[in-house]
Amino acid sequence: MFDLLVLLIPLFPLLAVLANGFYGSRYSHEWAGRLAFGSVGLSFLCTLGVFASVLSNPEPREVLAWSWIFGGDLSINLAFLIDPLTTVMLLVVTGVGFLIHVYSVGYMHGEEGFTRFFTYMNLFMVSMLLLVMGSNYVVMFIGWEGVGLCSYLLIGYYYEKVSAGKAATKAFVVNRIGDAGFLIAVFLIFAHFGSLDYSTVLTQASSLSTEMATAITICLLIGAFGKSAQLPLYTWLPDAMEGPTPVSALIHAATMVTAGVYMVVRNHVLFDMAPIALTTVGIIGGLTALFAATIGLVQNDIKRVLAYSTVSQLGYMFLACGVGAYTAAIFHLVTHAFFKALLFLSAGAVIHSLHHEQDIRKMGGLYKKIPITHAVFLIGTLAIAGIPPLAGFWSKDEIMAHAFVHGYYHLYILAAIGAFLTSFYMFRLTYLTFYGQSRVEPHVAKHIHESPPIMTVPLMILAGLAVVGGFLGVPPEHGWFHSFLHDVATPVGAAPHAVDMSTLLGLMGAAVSIALAGWGLAHYMYSVRPQMANEWAEKSPQAYTTLLNKYYVDEFYDRVIVEPFKKLGMLWDWVDRHIIDRFVNGIGKGTDISAEAITWTEKHVIYAGLNVVGYGNHLLAWSWRKLQSGMVHHYAAILIIGLAVLIHLVVLWFTGSSIAGSSGY
């Protein structure tokens, strides 16, 4: 029964992909939507069954779906590894994914490409499930590439928009850079271990040298940084906002961007053997958390603010991995899925009520008109800001506390500053969207309305999870969540690290103070003295412009990488057309001329000579054929003539002999 449940988890969404993809035009959008979210719901139910089984028996189990590749020493199966880490990821992917699918039915209602949208969404789910369930690096890589492909399709869903097409292409290209690193790591793993199964690689990891472990993990990190949008491969994620809002929620909250964190935690045995790689993970994570938070301070697009908050929160997860807090990283991944899906879907409800307006400068005063959306958005803001007792507080505080207690003070400072900025810009977003004077266009304000239940119910469920989800990890580092993941997410050789209660309470108090300070500053600037923000922007126009333009990183990449490579491509195109093509064409033309010369020689010399010889033979044969008349008197005449010639020759011979003898005498 267990094996069947495991196999059904990816199978249900796959069947929905086939049904909607091939036959979706034959039935209504309503049925296409039901099939889409129903398939994910069934996967979630199967996941609950698997979770119940893992609770009673947490030992890793492998479920074989198909004996795929085998030859020589290579054997790769389409198989799934089920352990506590996989189970947690499955619950997040299918649970939050189901709520997003239900919400999408209402949000995408009336869209011309409704069925196409859900086909892509279900395919995205299949790919993500393969990624987290695979028992070897090949199955993970298939899912890894699958989510990359689906992100391209979903981000570019509105393909008639130039900006959407560019954003989709950007996401695809940037992810390919990271994927190349991942693929090199897979080659190195197979070259050393002769296998790509987790069970073999991770149990034999101690045979690796530090240098080889570092090489493998650095390559894995390149893939993780690309997929999870960390410095310097983060630029694709904010542009992914060109896709429909449910796509943003699915990519940012439950699936794609968490893949890098999952991959690092899954391979933590390798990372524990590579101190350089771990240090890199922590530093890049801390810098990304702070860097993205500073950009989020001044953005005016509601979805783009949330996008940079995703980049920042992913930085916290990588920081946690860098300090050895793998369980805390997964814990924050889970809580982040709750409140970030809530925030994105709430933002989608705001956009939906304002007829697709996303500029927060054209909002304000919405809390009275869309009270449910306001309430759930506020819960999401409190959670991400780290206000207790909401989910974000427990997971983020645990990461910061772990960094401090284990002596990573520089990372703690980065995380603390990032937490303050996160609280500030998220409450800035809340105040500008829901409070103050309404700045909504009059013709839009007339039609503001609350979203239908199919959209608000998932929001309320996510809000509930954002409130209580953090208690899974209480008490910090000793809660149920930590004991559940202990065997699969504990650093190799980690020794118990006791922390006295006063230190713990002090760190918790500091985290709360940081969050409240950010909230207080936002309240003062956007509620008490709303003109203060403009005053600061006017006093520091260069800093404001720099942040507004995202440190000009995109422009830098365009100037230093994109444009030079475009020019290089144009140069190679010129070389290809004017040198290589001309050389090849010249060879072809020379060949044509040679062929024509050979043809002329053959036709006018060889054929003419053969014709002459043939005609001569014909004449000779005709002449000899004339001698064979069939008349007796002709043959008699020929005999007589021949006899006369013969006699004449004989006489000449004898006469000549006599003359010669006489002369000799």
Side-chain angles (χ1 to χ4, degrees), residues 331-378:
F331 185 29
H332 196 54
L333 183 154
V334 173
T335 61
H336 177 262
F338 297 155
F339 60 70
K340 185 52 58 70
L342 172 63
L343 287 168
F344 264 112
L345 297 184
S346 300
V350 172
I351 296 169
H352 184 266
S353 67
L354 297 179
H355 298 277
H356 303 288
E357 179 60 67
Q358 296 183 196
D359 193 335
I360 58 178
R361 293 171 296 183
K362 298 180 180 179
M363 300 180 186
L366 297 178
Y367 75 98
K368 293 181 180 179
K369 297 186 177 181
I370 45 175
I372 297 176
T373 302
H374 159 253
V376 297
F377 193 94
L378 181 60

Side-chain angles (χ1 to χ4, degrees), residues 35 102 115 143 190 226 230 260 270 325 372 375 395 404 487 499 522 559 618:
L35 182 62
V102 173
T115 303
F190 182 75
Q230 298 294 284
L270 300 177
I372 297 176
S395 57
F404 184 88
D487 293 339
V499 182
R559 182 173 296 181
H618 177 73

Side-chain angles (χ1 to χ4, degrees), residues 70-388:
F70 47 88
D73 296 331
L74 178 64
S75 178
I76 300 173
N77 295 320
L78 180 59
F80 305 130
L81 175 65
I82 305 300
D83 63 5
L85 177 59
T86 304
T87 308
V88 169
M89 294 300 298
L90 286 176
L91 288 170
V92 171
V93 172
T94 58
V96 178
F98 169 70
L99 296 175
I100 295 173
H101 275 71
V102 173
Y103 174 96
S104 300
V105 173
Y107 188 88
M108 299 300 293
H109 178 73
E111 288 280 350
E112 184 177 351
F114 186 91
T115 303
R116 172 169 59 89
F117 172 83
F118 279 104
T119 301
Y120 295 163
M121 290 279 280
N122 283 146
L123 185 60
F124 198 108
M125 292 294 297
V126 174
S127 301
M128 190 65 193
L129 291 171
L130 288 177
L131 192 157
V132 301
M133 295 174 67
S135 67
N136 56 70
Y137 292 95
V138 174
V139 178
M140 173 185 270
F141 188 75
I142 292 172
W144 194 273
E145 292 298 301
V147 295
L149 171 63
C150 293
S151 68
Y152 171 81
L153 297 173
L154 289 168
I155 295 169
Y157 173 77
Y158 298 114
Y159 56 84
E160 68 279 359
K161 294 172 57 180
V162 176
S163 58
K166 289 183 177 180
T169 302
K170 185 177 184 179
F172 190 83
V173 172
V174 173
N175 273 275
R176 296 293 76 71
I177 297 172
D179 296 350
F182 187 11
L183 194 58
I184 294 172
V186 173
F187 290 151
L188 291 175
I189 290 172
F190 182 75
H192 184 85
F193 295 99
S195 174
L196 293 173
D197 290 334
Y198 297 149
S199 57
T200 300
V201 173
L202 300 181
T203 54
Q204 299 180 9
S206 58
S207 64
L208 282 173
S209 64
T210 301
E211 293 76 14
M212 179 57 71
T214 301
I216 292 173
T217 50
I218 291 296
C219 290
L220 289 174
L221 277 184
I222 295 172
F225 289 164
K227 196 67 71 182
S228 295
Q230 298 294 284
L231 290 171
L233 302 177
Y234 74 95
T235 56
W236 69 270
L237 191 58
D239 289 352
M241 299 300 100
E242 291 291 339
T245 301
V247 172
S248 304
L250 191 63
I251 291 177
H252 286 245
T255 55
M256 184 173 172
V257 295
T258 62
V261 180
Y262 166 77
M263 188 258 283
V264 172
V265 177
R266 173 61 71 190
N267 292 276
H268 76 86
V269 175
L270 300 177
F271 282 88
D272 291 336
M273 299 183 61
I276 294 176
L278 270 183
T279 302
T280 303
V281 174
I283 293 174
I284 294 296
L287 291 175
T288 303
L290 179 58
F291 179 82
T294 60
I295 298 176
L297 294 174
V298 298
Q299 299 303 307
N300 296 312
D301 186 301
I302 187 173
K303 290 174 64 178
R304 198 166 286 271
V305 175
L306 296 178
Y308 280 105
S309 77
T310 297
V311 177
S312 181
Q313 295 305 306
L314 288 166
Y316 281 97
M317 300 175 204
F318 278 98
L319 188 155
C321 293
V323 300
Y326 300 113
T327 302
I330 298 298
F331 185 29
H332 196 54
L333 183 154
V334 173
T335 61
H336 177 262
F338 297 155
F339 60 70
K340 185 52 58 70
L342 172 63
L343 287 168
F344 264 112
L345 297 184
S346 300
V350 172
I351 296 169
H352 184 266
S353 67
L354 297 179
H355 298 277
H356 303 288
E357 179 60 67
Q358 296 183 196
D359 193 335
I360 58 178
R361 293 171 296 183
K362 298 180 180 179
M363 300 180 186
L366 297 178
Y367 75 98
K368 293 181 180 179
K369 297 186 177 181
I370 45 175
I372 297 176
T373 302
H374 159 253
V376 297
F377 193 94
L378 181 60
I379 290 173
T381 300
L382 293 169
I384 193 174
I387 304 298

Side-chain angles (χ1 to χ4, degrees), residues 393-394 396-405 412 473-479 482 497-512:
F393 164 75
W394 299 105
K396 191 188 299 183
D397 175 72
E398 183 174 328
I399 294 172
M400 295 171 61
H402 194 282
F404 184 88
V405 169
Y412 175 82
V474 178
E477 299 198 10
H478 300 286
H482 302 82
H497 196 94
V499 182
D500 60 271
M501 185 57 65
S502 60
T503 302
L504 184 61
L505 292 176
L507 290 171
M508 293 177 66
V512 174

Side-chain angles (χ1 to χ4, degrees), residues 596-614:
E596 290 177 0
I598 294 172
T599 301
W600 187 91
T601 302
E602 184 181 28
K603 185 183 294 183
H604 297 90
V605 178
I606 299 176
Y607 283 181
L610 293 174
N611 288 334
V612 169
V613 173

Side-chain angles (χ1 to χ4, degrees), residues 429-446:
L429 177 63
T430 302
Y431 279 110
L432 290 177
T433 303
F434 293 99
Y435 301 107
Q437 295 294 323
S438 176
R439 300 174 301 278
V440 181
E441 298 289 341
H443 67 280
V444 177
K446 297 178 181 178

Side-chain angles (χ1 to χ4, degrees), residues 234 542 545-558:
Y234 74 95
Q542 188 173 359
T545 304
T546 300
L547 294 177
L548 188 63
N549 290 280
K550 302 155 290 186
Y551 294 99
Y552 300 98
V553 173
D554 285 296
E555 289 79 2
F556 174 78
Y557 283 170
D558 285 339

